[in-house]
PDB file of all heavy atoms in Angstrom:
ATOM      1  N   HIS A 190      61.311  88.264  62.877  1.00 93.00           N
ATOM      2  CA  HIS A 190      61.557  87.714  64.230  1.00 93.00           C
ATOM      3  C   HIS A 190      62.835  88.210  64.833  1.00 93.00           C
ATOM      4  O   HIS A 190      63.743  88.901  64.171  1.00 93.00           O
ATOM      5  CB  HIS A 190      61.588  86.186  64.169  1.00 93.00           C
ATOM      6  CG  HIS A 190      60.226  85.568  64.153  1.00 93.00           C
ATOM      7  ND1 HIS A 190      59.331  85.610  65.175  1.00 93.00           N
ATOM      8  CD2 HIS A 190      59.570  84.908  63.158  1.00 93.00           C
ATOM      9  CE1 HIS A 190      58.216  84.949  64.844  1.00 93.00           C
ATOM     10  NE2 HIS A 190      58.318  84.549  63.603  1.00 93.00           N
ATOM     11  N   ASP A 191      63.052  87.886  66.078  1.00 92.00           N
ATOM     12  CA  ASP A 191      64.247  88.344  66.861  1.00 92.00           C
ATOM     13  C   ASP A 191      65.524  87.781  66.149  1.00 92.00           C
ATOM     14  O   ASP A 191      65.639  86.625  65.924  1.00 92.00           O
ATOM     15  CB  ASP A 191      64.199  87.808  68.260  1.00 92.00           C
ATOM     16  CG  ASP A 191      65.283  88.354  69.165  1.00 92.00           C
ATOM     17  OD1 ASP A 191      66.322  88.880  68.630  1.00 92.00           O
ATOM     18  OD2 ASP A 191      65.209  88.192  70.405  1.00 92.00           O
ATOM     19  N   PRO A 192      66.477  88.669  65.873  1.00 91.00           N
ATOM     20  CA  PRO A 192      67.715  88.253  65.183  1.00 91.00           C
ATOM     21  C   PRO A 192      68.434  87.101  65.933  1.00 91.00           C
ATOM     22  O   PRO A 192      69.145  86.315  65.357  1.00 91.00           O
ATOM     23  CB  PRO A 192      68.557  89.495  65.139  1.00 91.00           C
ATOM     24  CG  PRO A 192      67.584  90.598  65.189  1.00 91.00           C
ATOM     25  CD  PRO A 192      66.480  90.099  66.065  1.00 91.00           C
ATOM     26  N   ALA A 193      68.320  87.149  67.273  1.00 92.00           N
ATOM     27  CA  ALA A 193      69.030  86.104  68.084  1.00 92.00           C
ATOM     28  C   ALA A 193      68.531  84.622  67.742  1.00 92.00           C
ATOM     29  O   ALA A 193      69.275  83.739  67.920  1.00 92.00           O
ATOM     30  CB  ALA A 193      68.807  86.356  69.557  1.00 92.00           C
ATOM     31  N   LEU A 194      67.343  84.553  67.151  1.00 92.00           N
ATOM     32  CA  LEU A 194      66.874  83.206  66.815  1.00 92.00           C
ATOM     33  C   LEU A 194      67.603  82.532  65.717  1.00 92.00           C
ATOM     34  O   LEU A 194      67.524  81.317  65.523  1.00 92.00           O
ATOM     35  CB  LEU A 194      65.332  83.310  66.526  1.00 92.00           C
ATOM     36  CG  LEU A 194      64.414  83.839  67.592  1.00 92.00           C
ATOM     37  CD1 LEU A 194      63.005  83.901  67.085  1.00 92.00           C
ATOM     38  CD2 LEU A 194      64.490  82.941  68.820  1.00 92.00           C
ATOM     39  N   PHE A 195      68.300  83.403  64.945  1.00 92.00           N
ATOM     40  CA  PHE A 195      69.041  82.865  63.768  1.00 92.00           C
ATOM     41  C   PHE A 195      70.549  82.890  63.921  1.00 92.00           C
ATOM     42  O   PHE A 195      71.272  82.416  63.006  1.00 92.00           O
ATOM     43  CB  PHE A 195      68.668  83.686  62.461  1.00 92.00           C
ATOM     44  CG  PHE A 195      67.263  83.761  62.238  1.00 92.00           C
ATOM     45  CD1 PHE A 195      66.463  84.852  62.638  1.00 92.00           C
ATOM     46  CD2 PHE A 195      66.562  82.783  61.557  1.00 92.00           C
ATOM     47  CE1 PHE A 195      65.104  84.951  62.340  1.00 92.00           C
ATOM     48  CE2 PHE A 195      65.247  82.782  61.314  1.00 92.00           C
ATOM     49  CZ  PHE A 195      64.451  83.927  61.700  1.00 92.00           C
ATOM     50  N   ALA A 196      71.056  83.464  65.027  1.00 90.00           N
ATOM     51  CA  ALA A 196      72.499  83.672  65.133  1.00 90.00           C
ATOM     52  C   ALA A 196      73.282  82.389  65.075  1.00 90.00           C
ATOM     53  O   ALA A 196      74.494  82.417  64.582  1.00 90.00           O
ATOM     54  CB  ALA A 196      72.763  84.404  66.426  1.00 90.00           C
ATOM     55  N   ALA A 197      72.753  81.289  65.490  1.00 89.00           N
ATOM     56  CA  ALA A 197      73.520  80.016  65.521  1.00 89.00           C
ATOM     57  C   ALA A 197      73.746  79.413  64.108  1.00 89.00           C
ATOM     58  O   ALA A 197      74.668  78.624  63.917  1.00 89.00           O
ATOM     59  CB  ALA A 197      72.883  79.022  66.408  1.00 89.00           C
ATOM     60  N   ASP A 198      72.853  79.778  63.166  1.00 90.00           N
ATOM     61  CA  ASP A 198      72.897  78.998  61.889  1.00 90.00           C
ATOM     62  C   ASP A 198      72.975  79.905  60.687  1.00 90.00           C
ATOM     63  O   ASP A 198      72.999  79.399  59.569  1.00 90.00           O
ATOM     64  CB  ASP A 198      71.574  78.227  61.747  1.00 90.00           C
ATOM     65  CG  ASP A 198      71.435  77.205  62.812  1.00 90.00           C
ATOM     66  OD1 ASP A 198      72.168  76.246  62.888  1.00 90.00           O
ATOM     67  OD2 ASP A 198      70.561  77.410  63.653  1.00 90.00           O
ATOM     68  N   ALA A 199      73.116  81.277  60.844  1.00 92.00           N
ATOM     69  CA  ALA A 199      73.160  82.185  59.701  1.00 92.00           C
ATOM     70  C   ALA A 199      73.889  83.370  60.003  1.00 92.00           C
ATOM     71  O   ALA A 199      74.118  83.751  61.103  1.00 92.00           O
ATOM     72  CB  ALA A 199      71.673  82.472  59.321  1.00 92.00           C
ATOM     73  N   LEU A 200      74.346  84.035  58.885  1.00 93.00           N
ATOM     74  CA  LEU A 200      74.860  85.338  58.915  1.00 93.00           C
ATOM     75  C   LEU A 200      73.621  86.300  59.177  1.00 93.00           C
ATOM     76  O   LEU A 200      72.722  86.351  58.320  1.00 93.00           O
ATOM     77  CB  LEU A 200      75.607  85.810  57.650  1.00 93.00           C
ATOM     78  CG  LEU A 200      75.832  87.264  57.483  1.00 93.00           C
ATOM     79  CD1 LEU A 200      76.908  87.776  58.603  1.00 93.00           C
ATOM     80  CD2 LEU A 200      76.406  87.563  56.148  1.00 93.00           C
ATOM     81  N   VAL A 201      73.644  87.013  60.284  1.00 94.00           N
ATOM     82  CA  VAL A 201      72.430  87.830  60.631  1.00 94.00           C
ATOM     83  C   VAL A 201      72.751  89.307  60.189  1.00 94.00           C
ATOM     84  O   VAL A 201      73.723  89.851  60.563  1.00 94.00           O
ATOM     85  CB  VAL A 201      72.168  87.796  62.131  1.00 94.00           C
ATOM     86  CG1 VAL A 201      71.016  88.807  62.453  1.00 94.00           C
ATOM     87  CG2 VAL A 201      71.719  86.397  62.536  1.00 94.00           C
ATOM     88  N   VAL A 202      71.823  89.773  59.289  1.00 94.00           N
ATOM     89  CA  VAL A 202      71.929  91.182  58.880  1.00 94.00           C
ATOM     90  C   VAL A 202      70.695  91.921  59.320  1.00 94.00           C
ATOM     91  O   VAL A 202      69.557  91.481  58.985  1.00 94.00           O
ATOM     92  CB  VAL A 202      72.050  91.239  57.286  1.00 94.00           C
ATOM     93  CG1 VAL A 202      72.071  92.701  56.869  1.00 94.00           C
ATOM     94  CG2 VAL A 202      73.310  90.594  56.908  1.00 94.00           C
ATOM     95  N   ARG A 203      70.806  92.936  60.148  1.00 93.00           N
ATOM     96  CA  ARG A 203      69.667  93.665  60.700  1.00 93.00           C
ATOM     97  C   ARG A 203      69.440  94.952  59.903  1.00 93.00           C
ATOM     98  O   ARG A 203      70.316  95.699  59.616  1.00 93.00           O
ATOM     99  CB  ARG A 203      69.944  94.009  62.150  1.00 93.00           C
ATOM    100  CG  ARG A 203      70.151  92.780  63.044  1.00 93.00           C
ATOM    101  CD  ARG A 203      70.404  93.192  64.469  1.00 93.00           C
ATOM    102  NE  ARG A 203      69.306  93.994  64.997  1.00 93.00           N
ATOM    103  CZ  ARG A 203      69.238  94.406  66.288  1.00 93.00           C
ATOM    104  NH1 ARG A 203      70.304  94.132  67.097  1.00 93.00           N
ATOM    105  NH2 ARG A 203      68.240  95.077  66.737  1.00 93.00           N
ATOM    106  N   LEU A 204      68.203  95.231  59.657  1.00 90.00           N
ATOM    107  CA  LEU A 204      67.729  96.498  59.045  1.00 90.00           C
ATOM    108  C   LEU A 204      67.008  97.254  60.160  1.00 90.00           C
ATOM    109  O   LEU A 204      66.107  96.745  60.854  1.00 90.00           O
ATOM    110  CB  LEU A 204      66.820  96.256  57.908  1.00 90.00           C
ATOM    111  CG  LEU A 204      67.436  95.955  56.544  1.00 90.00           C
ATOM    112  CD1 LEU A 204      66.375  95.865  55.441  1.00 90.00           C
ATOM    113  CD2 LEU A 204      68.452  97.016  56.162  1.00 90.00           C
ATOM    114  N   GLU A 205      67.380  98.518  60.338  1.00 89.00           N
ATOM    115  CA  GLU A 205      66.764  99.388  61.324  1.00 89.00           C
ATOM    116  C   GLU A 205      66.360 100.656  60.663  1.00 89.00           C
ATOM    117  O   GLU A 205      66.897 101.035  59.597  1.00 89.00           O
ATOM    118  CB  GLU A 205      67.789  99.672  62.484  1.00 89.00           C
ATOM    119  CG  GLU A 205      68.255  98.406  63.206  1.00 89.00           C
ATOM    120  CD  GLU A 205      69.246  98.714  64.303  1.00 89.00           C
ATOM    121  OE1 GLU A 205      69.703  99.923  64.428  1.00 89.00           O
ATOM    122  OE2 GLU A 205      69.672  97.727  65.040  1.00 89.00           O
ATOM    123  N   ASP A 206      65.396 101.346  61.324  1.00 85.00           N
ATOM    124  CA  ASP A 206      64.848 102.614  60.720  1.00 85.00           C
ATOM    125  C   ASP A 206      65.865 103.681  60.776  1.00 85.00           C
ATOM    126  O   ASP A 206      66.369 104.059  61.863  1.00 85.00           O
ATOM    127  CB  ASP A 206      63.627 102.949  61.464  1.00 85.00           C
ATOM    128  CG  ASP A 206      62.858 104.139  60.856  1.00 85.00           C
ATOM    129  OD1 ASP A 206      63.328 104.568  59.794  1.00 85.00           O
ATOM    130  OD2 ASP A 206      61.904 104.603  61.450  1.00 85.00           O
ATOM    131  N   GLY A 207      66.203 104.238  59.665  1.00 80.00           N
ATOM    132  CA  GLY A 207      67.196 105.356  59.542  1.00 80.00           C
ATOM    133  C   GLY A 207      66.577 106.660  59.233  1.00 80.00           C
ATOM    134  O   GLY A 207      67.358 107.584  58.918  1.00 80.00           O
TER     135      GLY A 207
END
Side-chain angles (χ1 to χ4, degrees):
H190 281 289
D191 186 344
L194 299 177
F195 304 97
D198 302 290
L200 166 65
V201 177
V202 178
R203 299 179 58 178
L204 279 182
E205 299 177 355
D206 188 4

